[in-house]
Amino acid sequence: MAAAVSAPGKVLLAGGYLVVDRDYTGLVFGLDARIHVYVHELHTSSGVSLSEIIVRSPQFRAAEWRYGYRVTEDNGGVEVVQLAGNVVSLYLLWFQRNMRCSYIQCNLRLSLRLLSPTDCKDFSPHSYPALDAYYTQLGAGITDYQALYSHSSPIQPRNPFVETALAYTLTYISCHTSSNIKPASITILADSDYYSRQGVSTSSTTHTNRFVDFGVPLHKAHKTGLGSSAALVTAFVAAVLLHYLPVDTVVINTDAGKTRVHNLAQAAHCNAQGKIGSGFDVAAAVYGSCIYRRFSPAVLEHLGELGSAGFAKRLLVTVNDNSIPKLWDTQIKRSEIDIPKGLRLVMCDVDCGSETPGMVKKVFAWRKENPEEAALLWATLQKGNEDLASELRSLATGGRTSAASYENLRDIILTIRSLVREMSEKAGVPIEPKVQTELIDACSELPGVVGGLVPGAGGFDAIAMLIEDSPETVDDLSRFLDDYKVTEEGQKAMIGKIRLLDVKQEMGGIKAEDVNLYHKWV
């Protein structure tokens, strides 16, 4: 059945770097900017059997990925192969599925983009009635296969998050059903604040006010640091599961359903990024705002490579986690985090971004070389993060608040910032760079602004601010940022256009959406 799921973005308000270590926790808030994934069946004409899934991200230029898929031998899972964007690719898929042609299969696995004009000229589907019918259905109107080749679009750059999420999810699905996995069309849409607006089309409102046309290829879009890859993988996994599996197999509004989506999304996301990360961003995408303690890396280390013997069974056991004791030792505490009524968490985009993996590597290298000094700093930061969560919760349960009641919250934020700058200086990593320090300090002087932090790994991603939840405060901060100028010449190149993102905290996680929301983009 057609299915649509959305997942929220995230901000690791406190606990950057600490959250990588299971001895510490992170204070992570979901954000109401969401990634949406819509899946529906890809219909073919009668008699045509096709193994193809098309994934589109229509807000970006030429963002389409076509995948062939097959169940591998020895319970190795479902292999996904990216295809060239042309009709010949579809013909070859038809041959692979229906003619069992080893030569075609071999060339398909190598690279469909290497087809020569001669290959296309010599290839004719008209000898095969079922394929000829499919050709007619496409309405290509081309009989010259050299012309077909010349009009073919080149293969798109690999999207590891989409490709891995698809392969892992189809593998999990193959463990639950003996039926063939039917072709599907998948559409990915992002709320506008996941990306800076440098290429936004002025005609974007012709589709819908929620989703804009970013006007650039995906690889040229500037992320704002809201956790797009984790939200994408989570929504993608959930939507594909809902599309292919019976309705009672995975119910995403139940704890059991969320757990399966979480475990599968964590496995896919870690594989796609090439390492077993902390997973706080996926946890926020599934569950929303929480205090997060990471899972032990050993949970996923045993999976091995997709396609290796027994991979599908290992993935199934890991995702379902029916063992006693449980494999997954993640701790997700949703009840211990809140934003008090009268306050709002907002994000300020600086149109830049940071190389998080390199920063994390340097910080942990310093920690390894200075274990005693780092342990003391880590423990002090953990205490500050716990104080922040406790103060927010206390304000949330204490009834009405006023500006005077935020003084302790301001002091806690300043203490955490001081400790982060100490870590930054000792590790030689720009966690809170000078240009960000000046920006946060300037914003904090405005009426109604409680304070701000460089969230997560820091650097030049969007900054997080706690402000009074009033239209006047939001408007004043927005105007201030629009007019803000970096003072030092050497710092101007480090950040771009500053603006207040139209996002706030989101307590909930994944949710099913109305499929009619997306019809203008499909």
Side-chain angles (χ1 to χ4, degrees):
M1 66 173 184
V5 174
S6 71
K10 55 73 188 172
V11 54
L12 183 61
L13 188 63
Y17 299 96
L18 276 69
V19 76
V20 177
D21 189 324
R22 189 169 154 71
D23 289 336
Y24 305 94
T25 60
L27 181 63
V28 54
F29 281 94
L31 297 171
D32 63 356
R34 288 177 167 265
I35 298 287
H36 301 248
V37 177
Y38 170 55
V39 187
H40 64 92
E41 186 175 349
L42 184 64
H43 295 285
T44 60
S45 61
S46 177
V48 175
S49 178
L50 187 66
S51 295
E52 184 182 28
I53 291 176
I54 302 173
V55 182
R56 298 184 179 93
S57 187
Q59 294 167 284
F60 299 97
R61 297 292 176 265
E64 179 179 291
W65 302 267
R66 293 173 177 262
Y67 298 100
Y69 55 91
R70 70 179 188 93
V71 178
T72 62
E73 299 77 17
D74 300 322
N75 199 31
V78 176
E79 179 187 40
V80 168
V81 179
Q82 186 173 345
L83 310 174
N86 57 49
V87 181
V88 172
S89 302
L90 304 185
Y91 290 152
L92 291 182
L93 274 173
W94 186 90
F95 265 103
Q96 181 192 34
R97 186 67 175 269
N98 294 278
M99 303 305 293
R100 307 298 181 190
C101 175
S102 59
Y103 174 79
I104 294 294
Q105 290 185 27
C106 179
N107 280 281
L108 181 67
R109 291 168 64 86
L110 289 175
S111 176
L112 289 172
R113 72 180 302 180
L114 298 180
L115 287 169
S116 70
T118 302
D119 294 328
C120 295
K121 176 176 66 65
D122 295 339
F123 175 79
S124 175
H126 299 301
S127 301
Y128 303 93
L131 182 55
D132 194 24
Y134 181 55
Y135 174 74
T136 303
Q137 178 193 2
L138 289 173
I142 298 175
T143 56
D144 181 347
Y145 291 92
Q146 288 185 343
L148 175 62
Y149 177 83
S150 67
H151 285 89
S152 300
S153 61
I155 196 168
Q156 294 296 323
R158 181 173 177 260
N159 187 323
F161 292 101
V162 167
E163 185 175 313
T164 307
L166 181 60
Y168 272 55
T169 308
L170 293 183
T171 295
Y172 182 80
I173 290 166
S174 71
C175 296
H176 284 82
T177 178
S178 58
S179 303
N180 289 332
I181 296 172
K182 294 182 178 180
S185 177
I186 302 176
T187 302
I188 301 168
L189 293 166
D191 285 344
S192 60
D193 285 307
Y194 275 97
Y195 299 91
S196 298
R197 303 289 186 87
Q198 78 276 9
V200 171
S201 168
T202 57
S203 63
S204 60
T205 54
T206 61
H207 286 284
T208 172
N209 289 329
R210 179 161 194 170
F211 304 116
V212 301
D213 181 352
F214 291 107
V216 295
L218 182 58
H219 69 276
K220 291 186 177 181
H222 292 181
K223 293 183 178 182
T224 54
L226 305 187
S228 58
S229 66
L232 165 62
V233 169
T234 300
F236 193 100
V237 164
V240 174
L241 288 176
L242 292 183
H243 173 69
Y244 282 111
L245 292 178
V247 293
D248 58 345
T249 306
V250 177
V251 184
I252 65 171
N253 63 350
T254 66
D255 288 341
K258 284 185 171 68
T259 296
R260 290 193 181 188
V261 171
H262 169 268
N263 296 350
L264 182 54
Q266 290 282 20
H269 192 254
C270 286
N271 183 274
Q273 65 184 359
K275 65 182 180 68
I276 300 177
S278 68
F280 78 88
D281 43 5
V282 171
V286 176
Y287 296 103
S289 301
C290 61
I291 293 177
Y292 177 80
R293 190 184 301 274
R294 69 159 302 157
F295 57 89
S296 299
V299 172
L300 296 178
E301 287 174 345
H302 74 287
L303 274 180
E305 291 298 318
L306 192 149
S308 62
F311 174 84
K313 183 178 181 180
R314 292 192 299 272
L315 181 66
L316 178 68
V317 170
T318 300
V319 171
N320 289 351
D321 195 11
N322 293 322
S323 61
I324 300 176
K326 296 289 187 182
L327 290 172
W328 290 85
D329 49 5
T330 318
Q331 293 180 15
I332 297 169
K333 298 180 179 179
R334 287 172 280 175
S335 62
E336 296 187 14
I337 185 171
D338 205 353
I339 291 287
K341 187 176 181 180
L343 277 187
R344 179 173 179 171
L345 176 62
V346 299
M347 304 294 294
C348 306
D349 177 33
V350 297
D351 192 13
C352 188
S354 303
E355 292 295 329
T356 300
M359 295 171 66
V360 173
K361 185 177 180 180
K362 289 181 181 179
V363 169
F364 276 82
W366 168 79
R367 185 190 184 200
K368 185 177 181 179
E369 294 171 0
N370 303 272
E372 293 183 1
E373 185 179 17
L376 178 60
L377 180 56
W378 250 246
T380 309
L381 262 170
Q382 174 68 18
K383 176 62 166 57
N385 299 341
E386 291 172 354
D387 288 345
L388 177 58
S390 177
E391 181 66 14
L392 287 171
R393 191 167 62 251
S394 176
L395 289 169
T397 58
R400 294 187 61 83
T401 54
S402 63
S405 62
Y406 300 138
E407 287 305 315
N408 191 40
L409 182 59
R410 287 190 178 93
D411 290 342
I412 293 171
I413 291 172
L414 289 172
T415 297
I416 292 173
R417 287 183 60 199
S418 176
L419 293 168
V420 167
R421 287 195 297 271
E422 182 180 347
M423 182 197 300
S424 182
E425 181 179 352
K426 290 181 175 179
V429 176
I431 303 172
E432 186 183 297
K434 183 179 178 182
V435 65
Q436 296 280 57
T437 297
E438 293 175 351
L439 176 59
I440 296 172
D441 287 347
C443 291
S444 299
E445 295 296 321
L446 297 175
V449 176
V450 178
L453 294 157
V454 285
F460 299 97
D461 283 335
I463 62 173
M465 305 292 299
L466 283 168
I467 68 173
E468 293 182 15
D469 190 13
S470 70
E472 295 79 14
T473 302
V474 173
D475 290 344
D476 288 348
L477 179 58
S478 181
R479 284 193 295 269
F480 176 80
L481 293 173
D482 286 343
D483 296 334
Y484 185 80
K485 298 291 189 295
V486 177
T487 55
E488 292 187 24
E489 286 296 326
Q491 302 286 335
K492 288 183 179 179
M494 295 184 179
I495 60 176
K497 173 64 177 174
I498 303 170
R499 68 184 179 97
L500 183 66
L501 298 177
D502 187 22
V503 299
K504 62 180 186 299
Q505 72 276 3
E506 168 77 80
M507 302 310 293
I510 54 169
K511 62 181 181 181
E513 298 281 2
D514 182 355
V515 296
N516 294 314
L517 180 64
Y518 315 104
H519 70 278
K520 291 184 178 179
W521 286 92
V522 176

